[in-house]
Amino acid sequence: EKEIKKIQEYEGRIRELSDAVKRNNIHIIGIPEEEKREKGAEGVLEQIIAENFPDLGKEKVIEIQKAQRTPFRYNLNRSSAQHGIVKLAKYKDKEKILKAPRDKHTLTYKGRHIRIVADLSTETWQARKDWQEIFNVMNRKNMQPRILYLASLSFRIEGEIKVSPNKQKLKEFITIKPALQEILRGIL
């Protein structure tokens, strides 16, 4: 029992370190392979910003530290769209770039739909995905849920905003909130 807790604690620390290293990174999904070869990931990001958020590009120059393609298995039977990772010099630039698609809803690159997301560890994406069903139920009940960085759930109840870092803490919290217990019955 003690060893299992210790292992989980170490795994959590490793995940946090991995995500900290990726803090300024964004992940671009859906760019055709040939485009990346021609322009490089930096050029592609600049084109995406110019095409989708002209105001963002005018504010100031977004400094790119490094850009690279992610490893990909090439499939000759279909056209390939690779992923790219761009490391920005400033975290604020990353936040601006990630916020812009929320306002616009769809992003394009030369007419093709693309996505830009935060570059997080697989474990963090899984932890965020684990909140999805609870998030959807709370959203239908107008509790204004949000998944916070890294993978905590924030929601409004009785005029207050509560944050739960994991499902265990949420289970403990709902024991004193019968209305929330009813809403999440069978899910948690």
Side-chain angles (χ1 to χ4, degrees):
E1 179 70 25
K2 244 183 185 179
E3 290 85 18
I4 292 172
K5 256 191 172 174
K6 206 67 148 160
I7 289 169
Q8 289 173 338
E9 184 181 319
Y10 288 140
E11 286 172 346
R13 287 182 187 170
I14 291 169
R15 183 179 93 189
E16 287 172 15
L17 285 171
S18 173
D19 288 326
V21 167
K22 297 177 176 192
R23 178 177 159 91
N24 290 5
N25 293 3
I26 58 172
H27 200 119
I28 305 171
I29 302 166
I31 303 299
E33 171 61 26
E34 57 276 2
E35 291 292 327
K36 284 192 191 151
R37 284 196 188 117
E38 286 175 23
K39 295 184 176 185
E42 294 100 335
V44 169
L45 179 62
E46 289 166 3
Q47 175 89 27
I48 290 168
I49 290 170
E51 189 175 321
N52 292 281
F53 332 109
D55 297 339
L56 189 65
K58 287 178 189 171
E59 286 179 25
K60 64 180 183 72
V61 176
I62 294 176
E63 189 181 334
I64 298 171
Q65 281 188 341
K66 183 179 175 184
Q68 66 187 38
R69 295 182 305 204
T70 57
F72 181 74
R73 290 189 194 125
Y74 189 71
N75 184 347
L76 295 172
N77 298 328
R78 63 184 183 131
S79 65
S80 62
Q82 271 197 317
H83 298 212
I85 305 225
V86 178
K87 183 174 183 86
L88 302 168
K90 296 179 183 166
Y91 180 74
K92 286 184 178 183
D93 289 342
K94 172 189 170 180
E95 287 300 304
K96 286 178 188 174
I97 290 171
L98 290 177
K99 184 182 180 305
R102 287 184 225 139
D103 301 335
K104 190 173 179 184
H105 299 294
T106 61
L107 296 178
T108 58
Y109 176 75
K110 294 188 174 180
R112 281 182 78 150
H113 288 287
I114 59 162
R115 292 182 344 169
I116 295 179
V117 297
D119 184 31
L120 301 171
S121 67
T122 305
E123 294 81 10
T124 300
W125 278 116
Q126 185 58 49
R128 292 177 131 215
K129 188 177 177 185
D130 289 346
W131 283 117
Q132 201 58 50
E133 191 175 2
I134 295 168
F135 179 93
N136 292 339
V137 169
M138 288 181 164
N139 200 29
R140 284 193 298 271
K141 296 292 183 179
N142 201 26
M143 297 174 75
Q144 302 170 352
R146 301 282 178 265
I147 297 179
L148 306 174
Y149 185 81
L150 292 167
S152 297
L153 180 70
S154 160
F155 58 95
R156 185 176 294 276
I157 185 164
E158 298 171 356
E160 283 185 62
I161 295 177
K162 295 291 180 190
V163 177
S164 181
N166 56 48
K167 287 185 177 182
Q168 184 59 41
K169 295 287 184 193
L170 184 59
K171 283 179 186 177
E172 292 169 12
F173 177 71
I174 69 171
T175 59
I176 59 169
K177 299 288 183 186
L180 189 55
Q181 254 180 342
E182 187 60 36
I183 291 169
L184 299 177
R185 184 180 310 276
I187 296 173
L188 193 59

